[in-house]
Amino acid sequence: MKNILVINSSVRTESSHSRRLTQSLVSRMLQQYQSASVVHRDVAQDCLPHYDSHSFIGCMGGTTPEQQAASERSLALIEEVKRADTLVIGIPVYNFSIPSTLKSWIDHIARAGVTFRYTEEGPQGELGGRKVYLVITCGGGTTEYVEGQMRASLSMLGMDDVTIVKGIGLDMVDSTSTLTAVDAAIECCAI
């Protein structure tokens, strides 16, 4: 592991469970791989534009300045992923789904002919060979839908080596023991 890309998507900063647990996992990685480089992308604080007609047409070779800018943004995000050996993605669950800003990041990197291609057997991902850690947190409720959505999106891009670390019920009355259990799960992650 030489290059780690950290994606944070929580709108909360200091009180964010996903940010704290993501940082805990990255700190553990850096203890083992002290020379690793870490790139941070915060899609909540530095929001990407939502995928729109300029993005779509730009990725298909559009020629207006807006379309070209959208294509260049997409390619820059893709290069960021390509340089990474490992991705750590912090995902809070909002209203039973991932944050819209994280969905926008996925939309910008899922590019036909670049990060996946269509074959007779279905989409074939071009970004395989990367380890992905999904740090999923939820104040209450469940995370299964988010897990499935993220696995499907990443798999389409060729990223099937996914480890999920999750914390559920973190905004409940007694969440301290849950956070301790999640920290313990991070310590047990094979890195």
Side-chain angles (χ1 to χ4, degrees), residues 13-15 19 24 26 33 36-37 41 47 51 68 100 104 109 122 124 130 144 166:
T13 53
E14 283 80 38
S15 63
R19 287 178 187 273
S24 178
V26 171
Y33 302 97
S37 68
R41 173 154 301 275
C47 297
Y51 198 76
Q68 289 177 344
S100 65
S104 186
I109 67 165
Q124 176 72 43
R130 286 161 183 77
E144 284 79 16
K166 60 183 171 179

Side-chain angles (χ1 to χ4, degrees), residues 20-26 28 135 165 180-191:
R20 186 181 77 70
L21 294 171
T22 297
Q23 182 55 46
S24 178
L25 180 58
V26 171
R28 184 164 178 272
V135 179
V165 178
T180 302
V182 174
D183 280 329
I186 288 172
E187 288 300 315
C188 295
C189 277
I191 295 177

Side-chain angles (χ1 to χ4, degrees), residues 10-178:
S10 176
V11 296
R12 300 193 311 185
T13 53
E14 283 80 38
S15 63
S16 168
H17 300 304
S18 67
R19 287 178 187 273
R20 186 181 77 70
L21 294 171
T22 297
Q23 182 55 46
S24 178
L25 180 58
V26 171
S27 294
R28 184 164 178 272
M29 289 176 178
L30 291 175
Q31 288 173 358
Q32 188 168 353
Y33 302 97
Q34 296 174 0
S35 64
S37 68
V38 180
V39 172
H40 292 271
R41 173 154 301 275
D42 191 326
V43 298
Q45 300 300 311
D46 186 18
C47 297
L48 297 168
H50 284 269
Y51 198 76
D52 60 9
S53 63
H54 295 300
S55 304
F56 179 76
I57 296 168
C59 291
M60 305 295 275
T63 58
T64 70
E66 296 85 1
Q67 294 163 351
Q68 289 177 344
S71 178
E72 290 170 12
R73 180 184 315 108
S74 168
L75 291 173
L77 293 168
I78 291 166
E79 282 306 309
E80 202 171 64
V81 174
K82 285 183 175 180
R83 285 190 300 269
D85 306 304
T86 303
L87 282 74
V88 178
I89 305 174
I91 310 166
V93 176
Y94 294 151
N95 301 316
F96 306 102
S97 189
I98 65 174
S100 65
T101 54
L102 181 59
K103 174 65 168 85
S104 186
W105 177 79
I106 293 167
D107 289 340
H108 286 288
I109 67 165
R111 191 162 170 176
V114 179
T115 57
F116 73 95
R117 58 190 166 86
Y118 291 109
T119 69
E120 291 179 11
E121 293 81 36
Q124 176 72 43
E126 301 290 336
L127 296 176
R130 286 161 183 77
K131 176 67 182 170
V132 180
Y133 294 89
L134 302 178
V135 179
I136 304 173
T137 59
C138 185
T142 182
T143 64
E144 284 79 16
Y145 176 79
V146 168
E147 292 173 38
Q149 179 182 13
M150 289 303 298
R151 280 189 188 276
S153 296
L154 294 169
S155 180
M156 184 182 82
L157 302 174
M159 293 184 272
D160 294 313
D161 187 1
V162 177
T163 296
I164 295 177
V165 178
K166 60 183 171 179
I168 300 173
L170 298 180
D171 288 335
M172 306 304 270
V173 176
D174 181 23
S175 64
T176 304
S177 60
T178 303

